[in-house]
C-alpha cells in the first residue's frame, strides 16, 4: 500500500511564509489534496488538484508538486492558521491514503 | 445548505457490529463519489472506504477489508458503512466526506460520529 509522509511539526513566525511537505511514490502520478483541521472540528479542504483553492479559502494558501513531493505553502501565516494539516491522495489501486499530519504552530 | 450528517455511532463490544449512516442534503448526491474517513482519539486521519456515484467502484483500506461494507442509496441521499467484527483499534470518530472532483479531494465533511469498541 502507498504511504504519504509528513513532518510531524512545523513552526512559523507570524506573517512569515511556511511550507509543509508531503512525500510519497503515488504523488508522482496523482495530485495531493490538503486539509486544515482545528481541535474538535472536521477537516477543511484548502488545496486540491494542481493548485486549486475551494471557495472561501484565503489566497495565502497555495500548493505545488515536484516528483514525489507535494507542498502546501502559507504566505504570510496568520494566527488562525495554527492547526493540523493533512495531505491525501490515492494509490495506483484506487485506494485513498492520508499523510500522518503536520502540526503547525504560529509563533 | 450543503450538508452531511452522520449517525449510528456508539459503544459496542469487540466482535460486535454497527451500521453508520450519512444523510446528504443540499446537493445532487447521486453525482458524487463518497468516502468514509476515521480519526482515532489523538491520532491522524485514516481513509477507510470509497464508493463511486453509481456504486460501480468500491475500495477499502486494508485495515477494514473483509469486515466493513460501504453502500449507498441514491434515492434516499444516504451513505452507509456496515462494520462487523469490530476491534478496539476501530475506535474513532467516523466522518463521511464528499469527493467533489473524483480526485480524492474531500470538499464536504460531516461532523463525525464516535464509535467506541470496548468490553
Amino acid at each position: 500500500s502507498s504511504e504519504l509522509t509528513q513532518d510531524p511539526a512545523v513552526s512559523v513566525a507570524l506573517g512569515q511564509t511556511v511550507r509543509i511537505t508531503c512525500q510519497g511514490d503515488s504523488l508522482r502520478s496523482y495530485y495531493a489534496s490538503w486539509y486544515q483541521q482545528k481541535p474538535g472540528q472536521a477537516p477543511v479542504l484548502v488545496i486540491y488538484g494542481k493548485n486549486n483553492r475551494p471557495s472561501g479559502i484565503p489566497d495565502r494558501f497555495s500548493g505545488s508538486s515536484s516528483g514525489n513531493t507535494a507542498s502546501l505553502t502559507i504566505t504570510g501565516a496568520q494566527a488562525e492558521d495554527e492547526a493540523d494539516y493533512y495531505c491525501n491522495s490515492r494509490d495506483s489501486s484506487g485506494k485513498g491514503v492520508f499523510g500522518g499530519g503536520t502540526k503547525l504552530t504560529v509563533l | 445548505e450543503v450538508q452531511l450528517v452522520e449517525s449510528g455511532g456508539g459503544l459496542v463490544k469487540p466482535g460486535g457490529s454497527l451500521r453508520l449512516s450519512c444523510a446528504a442534503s443540499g446537493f445532487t448526491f447521486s453525482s458524487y463519489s463518497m468516502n468514509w474517513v476515521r480519526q482515532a482519539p489523538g491520532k491522524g486521519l485514516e481513509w477507510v472506504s470509497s464508493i463511486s456515484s453509481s456504486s460501480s467502484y468500491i475500495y477499502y483500506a486494508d485495515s477494514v477489508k473483509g469486515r466493513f461494507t460501504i453502500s449507498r442509496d441514491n434515492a434516499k441521499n444516504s451513505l452507509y458503512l456496515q462494520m462487523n467484527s469490530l476491534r478496539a483499534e476501530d475506535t474513532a470518530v467516523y466522518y463521511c466526506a464528499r469527493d467533489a472532483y473524483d480526485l480524492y479531494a474531500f470538499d464536504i465533511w460531516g461532523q463525525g460520529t464516535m464509535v467506541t469498541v470496548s468490553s
Side-chain angles (χ1 to χ4, degrees):
Chain A
S1 62
S2 185
E3 293 183 354
L4 297 178
T5 301
Q6 298 182 239
D7 291 329
V10 171
S11 62
V12 61
L14 185 67
Q16 296 303 300
T17 296
V18 62
R19 176 175 292 181
I20 299 170
T21 60
C22 174
Q23 289 188 299
D25 287 342
S26 65
L27 300 182
R28 296 183 185 278
S29 303
Y30 305 104
Y31 289 120
S33 298
W34 290 92
Y35 305 85
Q36 177 191 72
Q37 187 181 35
K38 296 181 179 179
Q41 298 182 16
V44 173
L45 179 67
V46 295
I47 291 290
Y48 68 94
K50 190 172 184 179
N51 179 19
N52 300 295
R53 282 177 289 106
S55 175
I57 301 302
D59 61 5
R60 63 178 178 272
F61 290 89
S62 63
S64 61
S65 183
S66 179
N68 73 335
T69 301
S71 300
L72 171 70
T73 300
I74 307 174
T75 303
Q78 302 299 303
E80 61 264 32
D81 299 333
E82 186 163 290
D84 294 327
Y85 289 85
Y86 295 90
C87 61
N88 87 314
S89 186
R90 56 162 287 179
D91 68 14
S92 57
S93 70
K95 297 177 183 178
V97 58
F98 278 92
T102 298
K103 182 178 182 61
L104 176 66
T105 300
V106 179
L107 304 171
Chain B
E1 180 188 6
V2 175
Q3 197 172 9
L4 296 171
V5 178
E6 302 95 337
S7 61
L11 175 63
V12 61
K13 289 181 168 56
S17 298
L18 214 52
R19 189 195 196 205
L20 305 184
S21 298
C22 171
S25 59
F27 64 98
T28 305
F29 179 73
S30 60
S31 296
Y32 295 91
S33 295
M34 297 295 296
N35 291 258
W36 288 99
V37 177
R38 69 184 180 183
Q39 187 168 35
K43 302 297 184 182
L45 300 173
E46 180 186 13
W47 174 82
V48 172
S49 182
S50 67
I51 185 168
S52 62
S53 57
S54 61
S55 304
S56 297
Y57 299 96
I58 288 175
Y59 303 97
Y60 297 99
D62 292 345
S63 58
V64 306
K65 192 169 186 178
R67 300 187 298 123
F68 290 11
T69 301
I70 191 172
S71 62
R72 65 190 296 161
D73 185 335
N74 287 341
K76 294 184 177 179
N77 293 331
S78 293
L79 175 72
Y80 306 101
L81 186 68
Q82 177 67 43
M83 304 186 296
N84 298 331
S85 303
L86 283 162
R87 307 166 180 168
E89 53 264 37
D90 295 319
T91 294
V93 174
Y94 284 73
Y95 296 100
C96 62
R98 184 179 85 169
D99 185 350
Y101 315 101
D102 278 338
L103 290 174
Y104 277 87
F106 306 151
D107 68 330
I108 304 297
W109 295 67
Q111 84 288 351
T113 187
M114 183 70 202
V115 172
T116 302
V117 184
S118 175
S119 55

